[in-house]
Amino acid sequence: MPSHDETTSAEMAFRQNLDGAIDTFVQTRLESFEPLGPDVLDFVGAAAQFVSGGKRLRASFCRAGWLAAGGADGDDQMTDAAAAIELLQGSALVHDDLMDGSDTRRGRPSVHRDFAARHRARHRVGDPAWYGQSTAILMGDLLLSWSNEMLVAAALRGEPSAARSAIAVFDACKAEVAAGQFLDVTAQTRPDVSVADAMVVVRYKSAKYTVERPLQIGAALAGADATMLGRLSDVALPLGEAFQLRDDVLGVFGDPEVTGKPAGDDLREGKRTVLVARTLELTDAAGRATVINGLGTEAVDDVQAVIRSSGALAAVEADIARLEAEADAAIDALGARDVLGPLALRATRRDR
């Protein structure tokens, strides 16, 4: 088993190569837009800046799938595929912030807020909010296009059967995240939501997209067969669900200095998460009224208090522990503890 230092060193090298691959790809595309003038270059430059940071968790799962299927670390094909997944993540985040009306992302203004501010600063005519919203839609579309271009190019450098398999998984990922996002949007239109319904959103918006599909893309590129891809799903789905439940907790109780988002932002946005659904299931009539009336408002402290007092926070923490145990058992059955163990901890035991 590699030591912690060796694992960290390999991960750091991967991150550097990943950032380099994204920077090189985006710089080339930026140069191709030069004839369109400064406004487009400003837009494309902002897209490049937007994908320049983050946890890189999905890319790390792509690498883990590649390694679990016998691929050699440091391979450029795998790195480029992982970079493509990060561009897809950028697309999803730009659109997610717009749909949620979020003011910030990673401690900076969200894209739609940023471009609305640019509109005002440059004394443009028309509605700044419309300009920012339109720009965010287009930036998300641009990043989605780039992600597809980069993934397909990376896959086609390998064996034809592996390329077909990886592209098919990536296509499924793109469709699933759109469906999961729609389910999430739809949930916000209902006064109430069940835990079962909220868990469907968790699986399709997050678990498959964050863990399962990146793992499978990396493994498929390394030549994994259908059996291996299925065994990776056994790890990925409980781990991805635990990841999203941790995200739900941080969205209500996270430290804004660490998360880069205001405390209780999920409550202000009216999100019907599993944490909220558990609260509605466990609290009394007065607590239900507080939660239902408080979602989507500034009554964050009141809703937080009900979440704690109802036992919902403790119940979701117990769910996370149960899902971690399921994922751990599947990791051991796969014989991939060295590759997946540290990454599993990163996904669920985090503060941002």
Side-chain angles (χ1 to χ4, degrees), residues 163-203:
R164 287 193 296 272
S165 178
I167 291 169
V169 175
F170 189 63
D171 286 343
C173 179
K174 289 179 291 183
E176 287 163 355
V177 75
Q181 190 70 274
F182 176 72
L183 287 172
D184 190 32
V185 168
T186 301
Q188 313 320 315
T189 69
R190 297 179 178 139
D192 205 343
V193 64
S194 70
V195 172
D197 287 344
M199 284 301 298
V200 172
V201 175
V202 165
R203 175 160 290 199

Side-chain angles (χ1 to χ4, degrees), residues 150-165:
M150 198 170 192
L151 189 284
V152 170
L156 291 178
R157 298 207 302 269
E159 292 295 324
S161 61
R164 287 193 296 272
S165 178

